[in-house]
């Protein structure tokens, strides 16, 4: 997405290469997430058709169906090959998709943006918060990024409260570019490695 991250500190060539290598070889995230494949399109579509999941998220296809979701997954697989994007899904014991992570990396800035959602039935179970914390730890400790960005719709109070509780710094409103064209106002946060490490010491 053009314009992100707002904070830009150039990374060394070796750091950029290390991030791209780690991303391109990632198969799983902490907890239960794994790389989404094109043959997951039907199950993922069923999950995304719930407006409680997809309505607040601007990065998803405008029209959600098996074809558009398959293309969405394929694009992320290409990004994974290049080391600058990951699409991970969570699948329960019944084979249903119950959550996903969409991560955009900017190796040149040692930064990334994390998006995604969990099943509405699990939104008050604490799984969203614990899963986010595990992923933030993985991004900082394993991938080695120095900055994580987050955006959310202006009325997405749940995400705003979670991010600020974790320690993200609110940076104001930005214009997010929609996949189908146009823009949408979003709220924007950042969390640096330095602040994350400091918060874990407190």
């Amino acid at each position: 997405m053009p314009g992100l991250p707002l904070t830009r500190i150039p990374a060394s060539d070796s750091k950029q290469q290390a991030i791209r290598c780690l991303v391109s070889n990632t198969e799983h995230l902490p907890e239960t997430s794994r790389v989404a494949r094109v043959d997951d399109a039907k199950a993922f579509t069923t999950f995304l058709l719930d407006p409680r999941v997809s309505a607040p998220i601007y990065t998803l296809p405008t029209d959600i169906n098996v074809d558009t979701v398959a293309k969405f997954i394929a694009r992320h697989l290409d990004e994974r090959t290049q080391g600058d994007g990951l699409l991970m899904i969570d699948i329960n014991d019944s084979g249903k998709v119950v959550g996903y992570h969409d991560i955009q990396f900017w190796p040149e800035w040692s930064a990334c943006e994390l998006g995604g959602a969990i099943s509405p039935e699990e939104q008050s179970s604490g799984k969203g918060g614990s899963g986010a914390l595990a992923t933030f730890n993985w991004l900082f400790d394993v991938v080695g990024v120095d900055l994580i960005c987050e955006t959310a719709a202006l009325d997405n109070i749940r995400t705003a409260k979670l991010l600020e509780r974790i320690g993200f710094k609110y940076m104001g409103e930005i214009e997010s570019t929609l996949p189908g064209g146009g823009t949408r106002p979003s709220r924007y946060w950042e969390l640096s490695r330095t602040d994350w490490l400091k918060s874990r010491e407190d």
Side-chain angles (χ1 to χ4, degrees):
M1 183 168 61
L4 294 187
L6 296 186
T7 300
R8 298 186 174 188
I9 301 174
S12 67
D13 289 345
S14 60
K15 183 150 195 168
Q16 294 181 47
Q17 292 171 8
I19 291 172
R20 290 188 186 280
C21 181
L22 192 290
V23 171
S24 64
N25 286 286
T26 293
E27 293 287 346
H28 299 274
L29 291 184
E31 307 293 332
T32 59
S33 301
R34 66 162 174 82
V35 170
R37 305 293 181 185
V38 174
D39 59 6
D40 294 312
K42 184 176 180 180
F44 194 26
T45 299
T46 299
F47 174 71
L48 295 176
L49 282 172
D50 187 334
R52 295 174 296 173
V53 172
S54 56
I57 302 173
Y58 71 91
T59 52
L60 292 168
T62 303
D63 296 315
I64 296 175
N65 55 59
V66 174
D67 181 57
T68 60
V69 171
K71 291 177 180 177
F72 182 72
I73 294 172
R75 175 170 62 81
H76 281 79
L77 289 172
D78 288 341
E79 291 177 352
R80 175 173 174 264
T81 299
Q82 299 300 317
D84 55 21
L86 284 172
L87 181 64
M88 316 293 288
I89 56 175
D90 300 332
I91 299 180
N92 66 13
D93 294 338
S94 301
K96 291 178 56 178
V97 175
V98 293
Y100 82 101
H101 293 83
D102 185 350
I103 312 175
Q104 175 69 53
F105 291 90
W106 297 282
E108 65 271 31
W109 311 118
S110 187
C112 68
E113 180 186 17
L114 172 64
I118 63 170
S119 170
E121 289 74 21
E122 299 185 353
Q123 286 181 358
S124 299
S125 66
K127 291 184 178 179
S130 63
L133 287 171
T135 304
F136 296 147
N137 278 324
W138 179 78
L139 288 166
F140 283 125
D141 297 340
V142 179
V143 180
V145 300
D146 293 310
L147 184 74
I148 299 176
C149 311
E150 291 281 359
T151 59
L154 301 184
D155 59 354
N156 190 339
I157 305 303
R158 179 187 295 273
T159 294
K161 288 182 176 180
L162 171 63
L163 295 175
E164 290 168 8
R165 184 170 69 249
I166 288 172
F168 276 78
K169 179 182 179 182
Y170 180 57
M171 306 285 285
E173 293 183 17
I174 63 170
E175 290 293 318
S176 296
T177 303
L178 302 174
T183 61
R184 184 200 76 176
S186 298
R187 300 179 73 191
Y188 176 79
W189 295 260
E190 290 184 348
L191 179 63
S192 70
R193 172 193 292 275
T194 300
D195 288 342
W196 178 247
L197 294 175
K198 188 180 300 182
S199 71
R200 292 199 299 190
E201 293 172 356
D202 294 339

